[in-house]
């Protein structure tokens, strides 16, 4: 940022090199990573020439809801079904998501319509569980 003068770091005795990035998103900026990132999941390519669309409910609320979402997604040519199974809320009385049951519902619906699945990992402890049901694990910036 503008508040940090990187020249001060160049003077430190153990610093070999300091790079100044003008782009705020250093991990995805072309000046930092010039090659395209291409990810293959089953028969889907993300980051290639065809736009990969992911669609579905923010929160998986019922088996019927995710099955209907999967049907609509598939009928419209989308190949990746997304859905949130873990929904952290400030109030313990608010809906927290269906958790594993929601993941199972989404997996079943995706298999029925030939879709790839994606869901957000909210905590590292969820990875093993989610890997049993989800093809792509999404890690949000707030969870890094």
């Amino acid at each position: 940022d503008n508040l940090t003068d990187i020249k001060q770091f160049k003077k430190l005795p153990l610093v070999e090199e300091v790079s100044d990035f003008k782009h705020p998103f250093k991990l995805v900026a072309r000046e930092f990573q010039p090659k395209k990132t291409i990810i293959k999941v089953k028969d889907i390519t993300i980051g290639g020439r065809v736009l990969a669309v992911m669609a579905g409910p923010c929160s998986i609320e019922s088996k019927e809801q995710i099955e209907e979402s999967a049907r609509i997604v598939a009928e419209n040519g989308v190949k990746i079904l997304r859905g949130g199974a873990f929904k952290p809320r400030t109030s313990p009385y608010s809906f927290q998501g269906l958790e594993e049951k929601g993941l199972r519902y989404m997996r079943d619906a995706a298999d029925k319509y030939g879709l790839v699945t994606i869901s957000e990992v909210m905590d590292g402890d969820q990875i093993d569980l989610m890997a049993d049901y989800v093809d792509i694990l999404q890690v949000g910036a707030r969870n890094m």
Side-chain angles (χ1 to χ4, degrees), residues 85-88 96 99-100 103 119-134 137-138 143:
F86 299 91
K87 305 309 293 182
Q96 301 287 319
E99 300 176 346
E100 185 173 7
L103 293 172
S119 190
E120 185 174 6
V121 176
M122 306 303 291
D123 186 277
D125 293 339
Q126 299 170 343
I127 293 173
D128 288 338
L129 169 67
M130 291 183 71
D132 290 338
Y133 298 99
V134 180
L137 302 179
Q138 173 186 339
N143 303 317

Side-chain angles (χ1 to χ4, degrees), residues 1-72:
D1 62 11
N2 295 334
L3 301 176
T4 304
D5 180 9
I6 68 163
K7 292 176 196 164
Q8 66 184 328
F9 297 103
K10 291 180 182 178
K11 297 175 187 174
L12 296 173
L14 298 176
V15 174
E16 184 176 314
E17 180 181 349
V18 176
S19 299
D20 185 16
F21 293 97
K22 304 295 182 202
H23 197 282
F25 305 106
K26 294 164 187 65
L27 294 178
V28 296
R30 285 286 173 237
E31 65 186 86
F32 183 76
Q33 172 68 352
K35 291 184 178 179
K36 274 187 147 186
T37 300
I38 297 180
I39 301 165
K40 292 188 72 78
V41 181
K42 296 186 178 181
D43 63 338
I44 307 294
T45 299
I46 301 169
R49 300 181 138 247
V50 177
L51 177 65
V53 176
M54 303 170 200
C58 176
S59 178
I60 302 166
E61 297 176 5
S62 70
K63 183 176 183 176
E64 296 75 23
Q65 176 232 29
I66 194 65
E67 283 185 0
E68 178 71 1
S69 297
R71 183 187 63 75
I72 293 168

Side-chain angles (χ1 to χ4, degrees), residues 63 66-67 70 81 101-115 117 133:
K63 183 176 183 176
I66 194 65
E67 283 185 0
L81 177 65
K101 185 167 40 171
L103 293 172
R104 189 170 47 253
Y105 291 163
M106 183 168 65
R107 175 80 272 152
D108 291 344
D111 289 347
K112 181 176 179 179
Y113 292 97
L115 302 170
T117 58
Y133 298 99

